[in-house]
Amino acid sequence: MAHTDHQTVRRVLRREIAGTIGLLTDEQDFTAMRRYRSFAFADHATYLREVEAVLRSRARQGGHTTVALFDPQEYADYCTHSGLDPDQASSRTRFTAELATTGPAVPYEGQPLTDLLPALVDEAVRQATWEYASTLLARLGACSSCGEDLGRAAFTRAADHVVRILDTAPPGSHHLVCSVSTTPEALVAALHADRDRADLELHEPEALEFTTVLAVGMATGSPGGLVMRTTAPDTPDQVYGWRLRVGGLQPLTAAEVFDAYCTDAESGDLISPESNVDYCAPPDLGPGGAGPRHGH
């Protein structure tokens, strides 16, 4: 009887343990790991099937699992810095535990692996974009006249603009995209927000990345723009946007928004406008919604 009680308690405790699986999302990363003899898998397709089977098994047992992006080069660097043998399963386990708190990761909620993989890659891109944009803001340093941290001031200004944009938007589901033409690569961030007449729902890490990218554009004066599309029941979608300026946003006219959406970016040819879509000028963001706050 006591033995049975111990087994029951252990089953309960297993359900209390959260786990993390480091996932090799593509064939190239999988091939890189095959140089380690302790890595037991021979082909990527079999590996993915087995990972999905483990995820489903843990979910059936009531366990929570986070899936993290496993990067072979980062793993090799981690082992070098930590003095670990990379050809040991225990080293991969320790690295995966680090990924749970520092790397791109998404929760497994019963979705097919074909849905989880793109979500994990998107999360990795989002985190890399935020880290790069944060680095650009940090490099701005302090204002030579007043000593204010220019990156922090730009972020505060950008956050104020995001709040104003969402506060002035009609109820519905909002999709915002901000792009900034930085060197060597452009920064692009998206933000999804749903609001009824009282409440606003958004993903905080997504909002942080979006605000940071917007801050880079507003602080550096790099070419860029911000567009928003609102979808609501029984009404045409509304599309409007702004051009990025140092310290603020310049509203696009309805004609400029139409031209942007109805012109092929590569060929310059006209594209038929979408049905049931209104291309319009943005609402007034109110006092302080356009000009720079920090000026010397």
Side-chain angles (χ1 to χ4, degrees):
M1 181 67 177
H3 179 68
T4 302
D5 288 344
H6 284 309
Q7 287 182 328
T8 301
V9 169
R10 286 170 185 168
R11 282 197 296 270
V12 172
L13 285 174
R14 288 191 189 101
R15 291 196 294 268
E16 301 291 330
I17 299 174
T20 303
I21 291 180
L23 184 63
L24 298 160
T25 58
D26 60 46
E27 189 79 40
Q28 182 177 352
D29 286 347
F30 179 84
T31 301
M33 290 301 294
R34 289 199 62 204
R35 68 176 181 260
Y36 302 121
R37 288 183 299 175
S38 61
F39 187 73
F41 294 95
D43 69 272
H44 194 225
T46 300
Y47 163 79
L48 292 178
R49 285 197 300 271
E50 294 301 322
V51 168
E52 187 163 24
V54 170
L55 290 171
R56 289 176 176 173
S57 175
R58 285 183 53 83
R60 284 195 299 269
Q61 296 169 10
H64 173 79
T65 308
T66 297
V67 182
L69 185 68
F70 194 106
D71 183 279
Q73 186 57 55
E74 290 182 5
Y75 170 64
D77 294 342
Y78 171 82
C79 289
T80 299
H81 295 153
S82 303
L84 299 174
D85 179 2
D87 200 1
Q88 293 287 335
S90 59
S91 300
R92 292 193 290 275
T93 301
R94 288 181 59 175
F95 177 66
T96 300
E98 291 278 339
L99 291 178
T101 57
T102 62
V106 296
Y108 176 71
E109 298 173 331
Q111 68 271 48
L113 210 58
T114 51
D115 293 338
L116 188 146
L117 285 175
L120 183 57
V121 172
D122 286 347
E123 178 64 16
V125 172
R126 183 201 62 75
Q127 183 167 317
T129 299
W130 173 75
E131 290 175 351
Y132 179 54
S134 297
T135 299
L136 293 179
L137 288 180
R139 288 176 180 170
L140 295 176
C143 174
S144 59
S145 297
C146 67
E148 182 175 17
D149 187 304
L150 295 175
R152 186 174 301 141
F155 183 88
T156 300
R157 182 66 169 159
D160 177 68
H161 276 72
V162 173
V163 170
R164 289 171 183 267
I165 289 170
L166 293 174
D167 281 349
T168 57
S173 178
H174 309 298
H175 179 67
L176 296 83
V177 177
C178 180
S179 59
V180 182
S181 297
T182 55
T183 302
E185 294 183 1
L187 289 170
V188 180
L191 175 61
H192 303 271
D194 294 300
R195 97 171 295 142
D196 55 25
R197 297 192 179 278
D199 299 321
L200 176 68
E201 295 182 7
L202 50 76
H203 186 231
E204 289 189 9
E206 198 176 70
L208 176 62
E209 178 211 1
F210 185 88
T211 304
T212 305
V213 169
L214 177 58
V216 169
M218 294 171 63
T220 62
S222 301
L226 190 163
V227 294
M228 182 167 79
R229 182 173 187 144
T230 298
T231 302
D234 305 320
T235 184
D237 286 6
Q238 289 188 10
V239 179
Y240 51 78
W242 297 262
R243 187 176 290 107
L244 269 60
R245 289 289 181 260
V246 174
L249 300 173
Q250 178 184 359
L252 296 173
T253 66
E256 288 174 321
V257 176
F258 181 89
D259 288 343
Y261 270 80
C262 301
T263 303
D264 185 276
E266 295 184 359
S267 67
D269 296 335
L270 293 178
I271 303 173
S272 298
E274 295 182 65
S275 60
N276 205 36
V277 174
D278 286 342
Y279 303 96
C280 47
D284 184 3
L285 297 182
R293 179 173 295 171
H294 185 101
H296 289 292

